[in-house]
Structures are given as structure tokens and as C-alpha cells.
Amino acid sequence: MALQVILSSFSSALGQVGDTRFRRVLFKGLGLTIALLVGATFLLQWFLGYLVGDTVTLPFFGEVGWIDDALGWSVLLVAPIASVFLMVPVASAFTSMFLDEVADAVEDRHYGHLPPAKAIAMSEAVKDTLSFLGVLIAANLVALVLYLFLSPLAPFIFWGLNGFLLGREYFQLAAMRRLGREGAKQLRRRHMATIWIAGTLMAIPLTVPLLNLIIPILGAATFTHLFHRLEQRG
């Protein structure tokens, strides 16, 4: 039953991908993602260059000047891999920045009988985003220990952990627009398993380059539909 309502919500979200407002949000998301990846790449290159310098003196070989070039190429090779992990915080930042736009487009098309949703204050949204990012980073740092000792299970731990966190955040923000913070928490607790599964199904394609660029939009739309379907069930 849980999978059925999730797939139904996703199907409805997928059918609206061509919406003009979805495309506008997609371009904003692309800009955010590219800016983050470029910034992270330059920061990593600067940090490694600061540690190593332009040349390295090795025993018997003297000064070696190609280390800097090798580091530059290694950063370019590492960047696509890093993008897989960076897409999770990108998706989380996406919630408070763009979820309202996606949710409004979904509700205008599918739930036109509803009154306008309550807007979330920018200060509150920024506070929630920073708080969630802190939890997200801390949880993934702790999970690094599990990745080392349970390396064959690392992808499943990564998906399960971030699926739980992303599902919780996306659903909470979608529900807060209609029920307020406390009402959203109560509904989320009643349907925690369904929300966790939906978040995990979102976290898995976030690790696929290129595909992960559109997932935050589909996730915001899917969780908007999911909220309305679960609210009807009570």
C-alpha cells in the first residue's frame, strides 16, 4: 500500500515535468548545482596546492615539479565522484529555496479547490535549512565509520540514511504549508515508514550523475502529492 501511494505520487509529478514553472526551477537548480560543484572543485584544488606547493622534494630525485599538474588532473577526476555526495546537500538546500514554487505549480494543476497555502517566512526557512544541513553533515560523518567497517553495505547505508533525512525534510516542508509545523510533525510521525521509503527512492537516483539534476524537482512535486494523499488518509 505504501509503495502504491508513492508510485502514484511520483507518476503525477512526472506528468508535470513539462510545466513552465518546473523548467524555471530546473534552471535555478542547475545554477545552484554548478556553482556548488565549481566552488568545491576550486576549494579542493587550492587546499591541495597549499599543502603540496608547486614542487615537492623527494629523496634521491630532488625537486619534482609535475606534482601540481597531477593534483589538478586528480581534482578533475574526483569532481564527478564528489558530485554524487554533494547532490544530497544540494537537494536539501533545494527544499526551502524552491519547494514552494514547485508545490504551487502542483497544487494549481491538481488541487485547484484549495485556498492559497501559507507562505513560510524566509528567516524561518533559512533557519530550518541550516539546521537540517548540520544534521545531514553530522549524520553522514558518523556513517563514515560504518562505511569503513561495512564497505559492501555502504551504498545501502548511504541510501537508507539520506533517504530518511531527505524524506523527513521534504515531507515536513510540503506539509507545513497547509498544516503548520506541529500538524506537519504529527502527520509525518503517523506515516514515517511511507515517507522513509519515498525518501530512499529519491536518494538512490541522486547518486546518478546528470539524472540527479532533475531529482530535487521531482522530489518536491512527489512529496507535495504524497502529503495530500496521506492527509486524506489521516
Side-chain angles (χ1 to χ4, degrees):
M1 187 65 71
L3 189 58
Q4 183 180 0
V5 71
I6 293 169
L7 293 178
S8 173
S9 299
F10 175 73
S11 177
S12 298
L14 193 61
Q16 201 173 343
V17 168
D19 190 301
T20 302
R21 283 182 286 185
F22 273 39
R23 291 200 299 270
R24 186 163 60 242
V25 173
L26 173 61
F27 293 142
K28 291 179 182 179
L30 285 173
L32 173 66
T33 303
I34 292 170
L36 180 61
L37 293 179
V38 169
T41 300
F42 276 107
L43 183 63
L44 180 60
Q45 191 170 21
W46 172 84
F47 181 69
L48 291 175
Y50 175 79
L51 290 179
V52 177
D54 293 333
T55 61
V56 174
T57 301
L58 298 176
F60 307 109
F61 291 96
E63 288 191 349
V64 179
W66 51 266
I67 297 293
D68 188 54
D69 292 335
L71 286 174
W73 283 106
S74 66
V75 168
L76 293 178
L77 293 174
V78 168
I81 299 173
S83 71
V84 170
F85 297 95
L86 287 172
M87 278 309 299
V88 173
V90 167
S92 70
F94 202 95
T95 55
S96 62
M97 297 179 67
F98 305 128
L99 183 138
D100 269 345
E101 293 183 52
V102 175
D104 283 340
V106 168
E107 291 182 344
D108 287 348
R109 179 168 178 175
H110 296 274
Y111 309 95
H113 61 285
L114 295 175
K118 179 183 177 181
I120 300 173
M122 179 59 70
S123 58
E124 188 176 357
V126 171
K127 180 182 177 182
D128 286 344
T129 297
L130 293 177
S131 175
F132 177 64
L133 280 174
V135 172
L136 188 71
I137 292 170
N140 278 279
L141 286 175
V142 171
L144 286 175
V145 178
L146 296 178
Y147 299 156
L148 292 175
F149 288 100
L150 301 171
S151 54
L153 299 177
F156 302 100
I157 297 172
F158 179 84
W159 292 331
L161 171 63
N162 288 286
F164 174 81
L165 295 173
L166 287 172
R168 178 181 179 276
E169 182 73 1
Y170 268 60
F171 186 85
Q172 178 74 14
L173 288 178
M176 277 175 56
R177 302 172 72 252
R178 295 290 174 182
L179 303 179
R181 187 178 296 274
E182 192 55 39
K185 285 182 180 179
Q186 293 176 8
L187 185 63
R188 191 191 76 230
R189 287 168 184 160
R190 289 198 295 272
H191 300 281
M192 180 58 70
T194 300
I195 294 167
W196 190 350
I197 293 171
T200 302
L201 291 177
M202 176 183 171
I204 292 172
L206 276 175
T207 58
V208 180
L210 298 182
L211 178 62
N212 56 17
L213 297 177
I214 196 172
I215 293 302
I217 299 174
L218 286 176
T222 298
F223 275 94
T224 301
H225 284 292
L226 188 62
F227 155 67
H228 286 290
R229 285 166 167 77
L230 294 180
E231 185 190 26
Q232 290 175 359
R233 295 184 177 186

